[in-house]
Amino acid sequence: MSGQPSPASRPNLLLPAVLTVIGVGVLFTLGAWQWQRMDEKRAFITRLETQTQGPAAPLPPASDWQKLDPAALDLTRSTATGTYLDGIAGVRTTIAAGPPGSRQLSGFGRWIFQGFRLEDGATILVNRGFVPESRFATITPASGQATITGFLRAPEARNSFTPADLPQQREFYTRDPVAIAAALGLGTIAPFYLEAERQGDGLTPPAGVDVKELIARIPDNHLQYALTWWGLALTLIGVFGAYAWQARRKPDPESRGAQT
């Protein structure tokens, strides 16, 4: 008798095949979603680059603030003239070291936030820049009139891992202008804040933002993720194919016994 298994003795491949089809479908869908996210992220980065390279525009008038979409304004280069208000608050953060040869403050520290009264009487918050934790105690509030060039920023969202703020100590973990303004006693505030543009060598705290450096740090790993999901889908197909091939070649115990 032949050593090939009889149809009745072959493993049933229906369930593994169904599970494989479902798994491949899920993995390919995840890969397609990451590919779409890659296009969206690159369009977003291109928009930010365009907004930051333009000439600094005046802030939107206070009468329009409640109608604005802060996310759509994010990183728009703007200028504001007014007077600093007393008091500062710190937002804890960590700045990664730059590439070799770069000159920038890094490590654990805080963003320095201070109120700023505009010429029309409205109030905004200004992020004056980053200060390493070891030098935070040396920072004093800015005073007097000033013209600040920087970038409009949307409030930073919290997540389940964000520690609770300590408003009594003026210590925060998210850049939320409303919460910070309340701790500083500023009253009604703009729904965005102005992040000061870096001036000088970037080593004197508080060091403002280098927007090119900021944009370069926006993660764009979606192509890698898409290829990973698609690679797993192909691997699953290969595993099922190998399993099915081995199953069909498995000797039939009955025919083996008949040959002895």
Side-chain angles (χ1 to χ4, degrees):
M1 293 179 62
S2 170
Q4 293 296 322
S6 65
S9 66
R10 291 172 181 165
N12 189 341
L13 299 178
L14 178 60
L15 180 59
V18 170
L19 294 177
T20 298
V21 169
I22 293 173
V24 169
V26 170
L27 292 170
F28 265 99
T29 299
L30 289 171
W33 174 66
Q34 287 293 339
W35 187 273
Q36 179 183 358
R37 290 285 295 122
M38 178 187 69
D39 289 341
E40 293 172 352
K41 178 64 70 66
R42 293 182 178 177
F44 171 71
I45 291 174
T46 298
R47 177 177 68 81
L48 294 184
E49 289 173 339
T50 300
Q51 290 179 177
T52 58
Q53 291 171 1
L59 293 180
S63 58
D64 293 341
W65 285 355
Q66 298 308 315
K67 308 172 189 176
L68 298 175
D69 177 4
L73 291 174
D74 204 30
L75 285 181
T76 298
R77 193 163 183 258
S78 300
T79 185
T81 299
T83 305
Y84 277 109
L85 302 175
D86 193 30
I88 60 174
V91 179
R92 291 190 176 273
T93 190
T94 303
I95 301 294
S102 64
R103 293 172 58 81
Q104 65 179 45
L105 296 171
S106 61
F108 294 101
R110 308 189 201 193
W111 297 112
I112 302 300
F113 276 76
Q114 188 167 349
F116 193 74
R117 181 72 43 77
L118 301 174
E119 292 178 317
D120 63 3
T123 304
I124 65 170
L125 271 180
V126 173
N127 177 7
R128 292 169 51 200
F130 174 76
V131 177
E133 191 63 29
S134 61
R135 302 171 70 175
F136 176 70
T138 66
I139 301 302
T140 58
S143 61
Q145 292 186 332
T147 295
I148 305 170
T149 298
F151 305 93
L152 299 184
R153 300 304 311 271
E156 188 175 19
R158 303 182 67 86
N159 59 48
S160 57
F161 300 102
T162 306
D165 295 328
L166 303 171
Q168 297 83 359
Q169 300 171 222
R170 297 181 176 178
E171 181 178 323
F172 295 84
Y173 289 87
T174 58
R175 287 169 279 185
D176 181 348
V178 173
I180 296 172
L184 292 173
L186 299 179
T188 304
I189 199 79
F192 53 82
Y193 63 92
L194 183 64
E195 199 151 67
E197 195 171 57
R198 179 172 297 174
Q199 304 293 329
D201 60 8
L203 297 177
T204 302
V209 169
D210 182 331
V211 73
K212 292 182 180 179
E213 173 188 299
L214 181 68
I215 293 175
R217 289 180 176 174
I218 297 175
D220 182 14
N221 301 319
H222 299 290
L223 177 59
Q224 175 184 336
Y225 294 151
L227 294 178
T228 298
W229 289 124
W230 289 336
L232 289 172
L234 293 175
T235 299
L236 184 57
I237 293 172
V239 169
F240 173 76
Y243 171 76
W245 183 73
Q246 289 291 339
R248 295 183 65 85
R249 287 177 52 85
K250 184 178 180 180
D252 184 354
E254 293 182 1
S255 62
R256 181 187 298 174
Q259 291 177 350
T260 59

